[in-house]
Amino acid sequence: MSTFHVIDGTVAQDVITSAPSDVLEIVRDTYLQHSRGATVNPNSYFLRFPDNPSARIIALPAHLGGEAPVSGLKWIASYPQNVQRNLPRASAVLLLNDAETGYPFACLEASTISAARTAASAALAVETLAPDDAPRTVLFVGAGVIGRTVSDFLAARGLNVRECLVHDHVDAYAETFAAYAADTHGWQARAVTGIDAALATSDLVVLATTAPAPWLADGQTLLQGQVILNLSLRDIHPTVMIKCHNILDDTDHCLTAQTSPHLTETEYGTRDFIDGTLADVLRGEVTLRRDRPIVFSPFGLGVLDLALGCHIYRIALETGRATEVPGFFPELARW
């Protein structure tokens, strides 16, 4: 591997938005590949700062096996205070490494990739865990990039939305998101300030906040068969989690880093509240009754970023939109 390419975010975004169903199928296939043991996905590594505890930078190393093996690393920064500067909370890059030599061969802007794989996994979970096409009331809690991208994927997959509700701790953000959903997707959308009433009337709940600790507790009313996408991972109190059906993307990964599933395991000393993984449901090995709320908690696997990044890299090369960096490796002969 003697060449090195850079792929900017506009290219990645164009590849993703031009064929969101391809992204969803990549996520589906990667979950199944991961469940077969054909991947290597170590724990994420968190860089934290004593003088800035809300910020973190996370390293997600990963390896995909199969006919075209590849390794890589996503390096993603999460700085919630960026929102006050009108900057997105997250920024990221993805490095791709040749599986035979270990040489890196591409660097991609990856905040778009990260949001898209999260949104695609959310849409896949909705189709898998609540496959009926009845009109639904959808509640978004958190009006940031992740929520917006989830709405894009749900709309692209033709979700039958009766009403879209948006709640955010900043009313203006919720109103902007609701206007986006109405203008872009044609949904009947509105901002709501009363979270309790919205939770009690929504068929699908998308949690995409930056909350550091659980706030969704026993005081809120949840519904039988209600699907809750626990994308931000720390919103739901253990006393609620224990009463729900729980599907994860990877059990060992989710039960770390003070996530809601991790706190529930710690509180109750058991993993019995976990029904299985999304791959288990996709393979038909786990079926869920709709007698309780259904919570999907995806920790966010690095192999998903890797698979989607490779897809974008291939298309960028084929269409001449990957920028080569000549001489990136100063020596390619050992002697």
Side-chain angles (χ1 to χ4, degrees):
M1 184 64 66
S2 60
T3 60
F4 187 86
H5 289 87
V6 174
I7 299 165
D8 65 45
T10 58
V11 174
Q13 189 172 47
D14 180 65
V15 172
I16 290 165
T17 57
S18 63
S21 289
D22 289 350
V23 177
L24 188 139
E25 291 307 317
I26 288 168
V27 168
R28 183 199 307 271
D29 291 345
T30 305
Y31 273 142
L32 294 173
Q33 189 176 353
H34 180 67
S35 72
R36 294 193 299 268
T39 67
V40 181
N41 202 110
N43 288 336
S44 301
Y45 298 90
F46 290 73
L47 176 62
R48 298 187 183 276
F49 310 96
D51 59 344
N52 189 7
S54 68
R56 63 185 187 269
I57 308 179
I58 312 171
L60 287 81
H63 175 79
L64 280 171
E67 296 180 359
V70 65
S71 302
L73 173 77
K74 183 176 75 171
W75 181 239
I76 182 166
S78 174
Y79 280 59
Q81 65 268 34
N82 282 353
V83 174
Q84 299 170 11
R85 305 184 180 103
N86 199 30
L87 285 172
R89 172 186 58 84
S91 58
V93 293
L94 174 68
L95 287 173
L96 303 181
N97 293 75
D98 181 72
E100 185 175 351
T101 67
Y103 268 72
F105 61 86
C107 178
L108 296 83
E109 194 284 327
S111 64
T112 302
I113 292 171
S114 188
R117 61 85 152 147
T118 300
S121 70
L124 177 63
V126 173
E127 294 180 3
T128 305
L129 303 175
D132 60 271
D133 192 41
R136 293 176 233 205
T137 296
V138 182
L139 168 63
F140 289 87
V141 184
V145 171
I146 294 298
R148 184 183 71 202
T149 309
V150 171
S151 79
D152 293 340
F153 271 81
L154 293 176
R157 297 296 289 183
L159 186 74
N160 190 349
V161 174
R162 174 176 54 241
E163 185 177 29
C164 172
L165 309 177
V166 185
H167 176 81
D168 195 282
H169 70 285
V170 178
D171 292 343
Y173 298 160
E175 291 164 2
T176 299
F177 188 125
Y180 174 85
D183 295 342
T184 306
H185 308 318
W187 294 348
Q188 180 180 333
R190 60 186 175 91
V192 294
T193 56
I195 186 65
D196 293 356
L199 283 168
T201 57
S202 298
D203 308 291
L204 173 63
V205 179
V206 182
L207 300 178
T209 77
T210 57
W215 56 267
L216 202 168
D218 286 330
Q220 281 95 8
T221 299
L222 303 180
L223 308 174
Q224 290 185 354
Q226 183 180 53
V227 173
I228 302 172
L229 303 177
N230 184 29
L231 305 183
S232 38
L233 284 173
R234 294 172 178 85
D235 293 276
I236 308 176
H237 195 277
T239 57
V240 174
M241 292 287 290
I242 201 74
K243 299 172 186 175
C244 298
H245 291 299
N246 284 279
I247 298 295
L248 314 180
D249 59 353
D250 180 286
T251 301
D252 290 335
H253 281 79
C254 278
L255 295 177
T256 60
Q258 302 299 301
T259 65
S260 291
H262 185 204
L263 294 175
T264 304
E265 179 193 34
T266 302
E267 177 76 18
Y268 292 96
T270 181
R271 295 186 173 188
D272 290 347
F273 65 95
I274 299 169
D275 294 82
T277 67
L278 190 61
D280 294 333
V281 182
L282 288 169
R283 288 196 305 264
E285 296 177 3
V286 169
T287 57
L288 300 175
R289 293 178 297 168
R290 303 187 65 79
D291 57 337
R292 308 183 208 170
I294 300 169
V295 177
F296 174 56
S297 300
F299 192 80
L301 302 177
V303 287
L304 299 179
D305 301 287
L306 193 53
L308 181 52
C310 286
H311 170 70
I312 292 168
Y313 168 76
R314 287 190 293 268
I315 292 180
L317 278 185
E318 292 168 1
T319 57
R321 291 182 287 173
T323 302
E324 185 176 352
V325 183
F328 186 82
F329 301 105
E331 281 188 85
L332 285 171
R334 186 166 176 264
W335 290 106

